Amino acid sequence: MVHLPIFMDNNSTTRVDPRVLEAMLPYFSERYGNAASRHHSFGWEAKDAVDRAREQVAELIGAEAREIIFTSGATESNNLALRGVAGMYRTQGNHIITAVTEHKAVLDPCKRLQREGYDATFLPVDRFGRVSAEQVAQAITPKTILVSIMAVNNEVGTLQPIQEIAGVCKEHGVLFHTDAAQAAGKIPIDMQTPERQRISNVLHPVRKVPSDERSRGIDLASLSAHKIYGPKGVGALFVRRRDPHVRLEPIFDGGGHEGGLRSGTLPVPLIVGFGKACELCLQEMRVEAVRLGTLREKLYHGITSRMSEVSLNGHPTERLPGTLNLSFAHVKGDALMMGLRNVAISSGSACTSASVEPSYVLKALGVDDELAHSSIRFGLGRFNTEEEVDYVIDEVVRTVERLRAINPMYEIARQGNESAGSQPP
Ligand SMILES: *Cc1c(COP(=O)(O)O)cnc(C)c1O
């Protein structure tokens, strides 16, 4: 028996793990101190908890605790990285490189910087959603100060070759930021070794490399707690403190918390939960990635073995384990979502204030508008079961078949295909 509705939208957010919630609870009630209070035990207790969480977050990504700046989430981290570098390194240059498939929390700050006189290059991606290190190298000019390329795309799950891109940036003396909101905690990502290992290697321990290779690494990385079974409203920015020591101009001023980079009283319960979530991911990531990869393949083959004209969006192998983005030809996107209302999933349409637009990510991969609208992103996560996957396969196949049966264009297209196939050469 599955419980409806089924949540299969774990790229948009995740349920707080019960172990995370339990760790947080005392910090809402009896341990409510302000981590900046120096003169009593309430403050010390809160500060100790924040220190521990900072270690837990740092350990997940192979960073040092002092390199972790707590923020309200990956959106703020991205803004702080982009605006912070742009402001601080203005005298060295005004050019930023990013890619068209980045999250809006990277694209929009870049566009704002353009309006303020900076130059931004938005690199195109290939049909799998990838940017190459060569593309980045070719786009770098003497004015370039920062490259920002996400580790994993949230819509299609494509992994970017961030290790090679980081290498190119280092060669050119350009800072490298990565939005790792979908990567950290799900696949190995290591600030120490610039290595983000292939999914197929997740069973093997992360290679530890000598610290001199650190200098080839990532300079800034954005994380979010609520994508990895932590609470909403907290995240972090990794800021490298040696080789090189990255400096940032803060976005807002105030009490000078977080080394002056992010003023504001620390949300201790959220930070404690974020730390716990990172600890659990570090322990369970490898086993979980294999389980989610298996479930995802089951979902994919379960659907495509029973139906034709279903296409996969994103990279066939270089992809986040739990992510499956499919386009269903000959159905209307809104009817498809309506038919699947027992399953919480995301569609390839984005509602703007004015209209329903096809996903800009799918467009960038070359998916036509119609197909983008009839696309579905399945985001499998820690709490999804095999029974749920079986249910979703049946539900998707049944819904798509029903919608195709009532679509006159489908019959015409099918007959067209058949007669085209029977034509002599
Ligand atoms: C969710 C997400 C964000 C935004 O993170 P918040 O913590 O919700 O602000 C940014 N980038 C990517 C890739 C994401 O998936």
Side-chain angles (χ1 to χ4, degrees), residues 11-12 72-76 78 103 105 150 152 154 179 181-182 223-224 226-227 234:
N11 290 29
S12 72
S72 62
T75 298
E76 185 187 331
N78 287 340
H103 195 274
M150 70 203 320
V152 173
N154 45 303
D179 176 349
Q182 295 288 350
L223 316 182
S224 176
H226 76 96
K227 303 292 173 71
V234 67

